[in-house]
Amino acid sequence: MKILVLNCGSSSIKYALYNMDDRSVVTSGGIEKIGLPDSFIKIKLADGKKVQINEPIPEHTKGVQFIFQVLTTGEYAVLKDLHELDAVGHRMVHGGEKFNKSVLLTDEVMADFAACNDLAPLHNPANIKGVNAVKTLLPEIPQVGVFDTAFHQTMPDYAYMYAVPYELYEKYGVRRYGFHGTSHRYVSQRVCEYLGIKPEGTKIITCHIGNGASIAAVKDGKCVDTSMGLTPLEGLMMGTRSGDIDAGAVTFIMDKEHLDSKGLSDLLNKKSGLAGVSGLSNDFRDILAGIAAGNNRARVAKEMYTYHIKKYIGEYAAAMGGVDIILFTGGAGENQWEVREGATQGLEFMGVKMDEQKNRSCRATEAVISAADSKVTVCVIPTDEELMIAQDTLELVK
Ligand code: AMP
């Protein structure tokens, strides 16, 4: 079975083609800068080499069409014919309260999904464009939607409600939804396979630390709390997002800087986090280089970053009445031992004992990084959202 996974953003489309017989990636890549004259596609070939083709892509249907063309014709072709494709799985961002699992994308489902557009005005319309583009080009092919928010739909009401007038929840759906759900689901399942245990009876804290970062409490395989909220801005300090901030500070900044909601949203989403505090970069590697060069703002940015993760670990251990496994994933969680070390330092009181050597030598590979006699098992599990989407798609079309 061949399954194409699409992740359609407002100006980009990422794709991965899977052969589900052995769960291998046949090819992958992405179009960037859709709508701009210098748009291009990057293709990752089977041998790992990358090539770039410049091509003006004015909108999403043209983008999907170009991906299909690259898959079937020319020197990078991997399919004889598009009909070799069995299904398409889409990453869908905000499923609101309507979707608690992946679904086949019928017209009725798409109408329900479009009703969530208000909650993710930049992302959901781009996802819809991707689904419609495939429908136009391959009307018969089954399409599946896998929602970023779905895994978090098991949170209890006291965890997802905000303490604002209840009518705001009833009128507009103002509540915590959480994001990165496909990643939290994948790694929380995968760690159980890796350790040879069942999800039932386990208390896992999953730390997805990338440019966007979130953390989830997963009890018996189900999410009971997560740090992102109505939008991906809440929770941990991120590359360019502030994470948690006093709402009073928000109105104070708006008044002082004469910002409207758009200006404030830009400030908190794009100019804050590691980039805003350090003044250097949103990339953790640049922060470490800044520290090595004696930059004090880089030091405080790093310490804030890991301190926030540690506080959430404590919070979620309390929420679940303990923790058995803490795992790190995402670009920084997988690759940066400094993040893992900083986030777990001082947690010995709750049974966390790291193996410093194992932690420092682990890079983007599945590993246990706690000491053999640690009560809590600390792991690194590289995430694979695309594989999860391909698997869900296979399940639903099979
Ligand atoms: P993501 O959004 O998951 O791609 O993660 C981005 C963050 O992960 C950045 O802060 C990078 O510093 C870090 N990161 C990503 N890849 C690597 C790598 N190969 N080595 C070190 N850090 C990385």
Side-chain angles (χ1 to χ4, degrees):
M1 266 229 172
K2 296 235 167 62
I3 290 179
L4 180 68
V5 174
L6 289 181
N7 178 355
C8 298
S10 51
S11 64
S12 68
I13 306 177
K14 292 191 200 121
Y15 69 93
L17 176 66
Y18 280 86
N19 177 355
M20 292 309 283
D21 300 336
D22 59 1
R23 306 198 326 172
S24 62
V25 180
V26 180
T27 180
S28 64
I31 297 179
E32 291 174 44
K33 297 194 171 185
I34 293 175
L36 295 174
D38 55 345
S39 52
F40 58 87
I41 189 168
K42 265 192 192 154
I43 307 165
K44 191 171 172 196
L45 307 174
D47 61 3
K49 281 198 195 119
K50 286 186 185 158
V51 289
Q52 180 170 327
I53 306 172
N54 297 326
E55 172 85 12
I57 307 281
E59 44 76 42
H60 284 70
T61 307
K62 273 271 173 309
V64 172
Q65 198 167 24
F66 191 55
I67 291 171
F68 285 173
Q69 187 183 319
V70 167
L71 290 175
T72 51
T73 56
E75 61 179 308
Y76 308 117
V78 287
L79 299 173
K80 281 198 207 81
D81 186 299
L82 274 185
H83 294 98
E84 277 183 52
L85 279 181
D86 294 289
V88 178
H90 292 263
R91 175 188 179 213
M92 314 280 274
V93 172
H94 212 309
E97 289 186 333
K98 291 187 192 284
F99 300 102
N100 60 9
K101 58 179 187 308
S102 305
V103 287
L104 265 176
L105 296 174
T106 60
D107 289 346
E108 197 186 344
V109 165
M110 288 310 289
D112 279 346
F113 181 67
C116 304
N117 278 4
D118 261 5
L119 294 168
L122 292 180
H123 294 93
N124 279 19
N127 300 158
I128 293 171
K129 282 184 193 166
V131 176
N132 288 342
V134 173
K135 201 173 168 189
T136 308
L137 300 164
L138 283 176
E140 301 303 328
I141 200 161
Q143 301 197 65
V144 166
V146 180
F147 306 89
D148 264 17
T149 47
F151 181 60
H152 304 303
Q153 277 296 303
T154 45
M155 281 186 285
D157 50 7
Y158 56 81
Y160 69 67
M161 288 300 293
Y162 291 125
V164 295
Y166 197 82
E167 297 74 40
L168 296 174
Y169 167 61
E170 293 176 315
K171 281 203 281 190
Y172 311 117
V174 175
R175 53 159 282 185
R176 173 185 313 287
Y177 292 95
F179 296 87
H180 291 146
T182 311
S183 173
H184 289 291
R185 177 160 61 106
Y186 174 79
V187 292
S188 61
Q189 289 174 359
R190 178 67 204 142
V191 77
C192 291
E193 283 170 20
Y194 179 66
L195 297 174
I197 56 171
K198 288 209 157 53
E200 293 73 30
T202 59
K203 295 166 183 161
I204 308 176
I205 297 176
T206 50
C207 309
H208 178 114
I209 315 296
N211 191 31
S214 68
I215 180 161
V218 182
K219 194 174 179 185
D220 300 320
K222 294 197 170 67
C223 175
V224 294
D225 207 345
T226 192
S227 59
M228 282 180 168
L230 174 77
T231 76
L233 181 55
E234 195 183 349
L236 298 171
M237 174 177 173
M238 309 181 209
T240 60
R241 296 190 193 122
S242 64
D244 296 333
I245 178 171
D246 175 7
V250 172
T251 49
F252 181 88
I253 295 167
M254 285 178 93
D255 289 345
K256 290 286 182 197
E257 294 277 307
H258 309 294
L259 294 172
D260 60 8
S261 60
K262 164 89 177 60
L264 188 86
S265 173
D266 269 5
L267 183 135
L268 295 177
N269 276 296
K270 298 184 182 155
K271 298 181 188 150
S272 299
L274 286 174
V277 176
S278 71
L280 288 178
S281 164
N282 63 326
D283 193 306
F284 200 77
R285 288 167 283 201
D286 299 331
I287 303 297
L288 293 178
I291 296 171
N295 184 317
N296 189 49
R297 276 173 61 180
R299 178 201 56 80
V300 72
K302 178 201 172 233
E303 287 182 9
M304 287 170 71
Y305 193 74
T306 54
Y307 179 64
H308 284 199
I309 303 170
K310 178 159 54 181
K311 281 209 298 188
Y312 266 100
I313 289 175
E315 200 173 290
Y316 287 168
M320 293 191 289
V323 55
D324 305 309
I325 300 166
I326 298 170
L327 73 83
F328 289 89
T329 194
E334 290 167 25
N335 290 291
Q336 306 278 7
W337 62 263
E338 295 90 340
V339 168
R340 303 186 297 251
E341 190 173 274
T344 51
Q345 239 160 27
L347 294 184
E348 292 78 9
F349 77 94
M350 53 186 261
V352 176
K353 190 170 164 196
M354 294 289 278
D355 182 319
E356 192 182 312
Q357 207 43 49
K358 280 189 187 154
N359 180 40
R360 290 188 178 211
S361 59
C362 176
R363 220 181 155 119
T365 173
E366 292 183 341
V368 172
I369 53 170
S370 48
D373 60 345
S374 180
K375 203 169 136 284
V376 177
T377 307
V378 185
C379 294
V380 174
I381 301 287
T383 195
D384 199 338
E385 293 163 274
E386 287 80 16
L387 176 62
M388 189 94 263
I389 294 171
Q391 277 176 354
D392 281 9
T393 305
L394 178 68
E395 279 303 308
L396 282 162
V397 300
K398 178 161 92 170

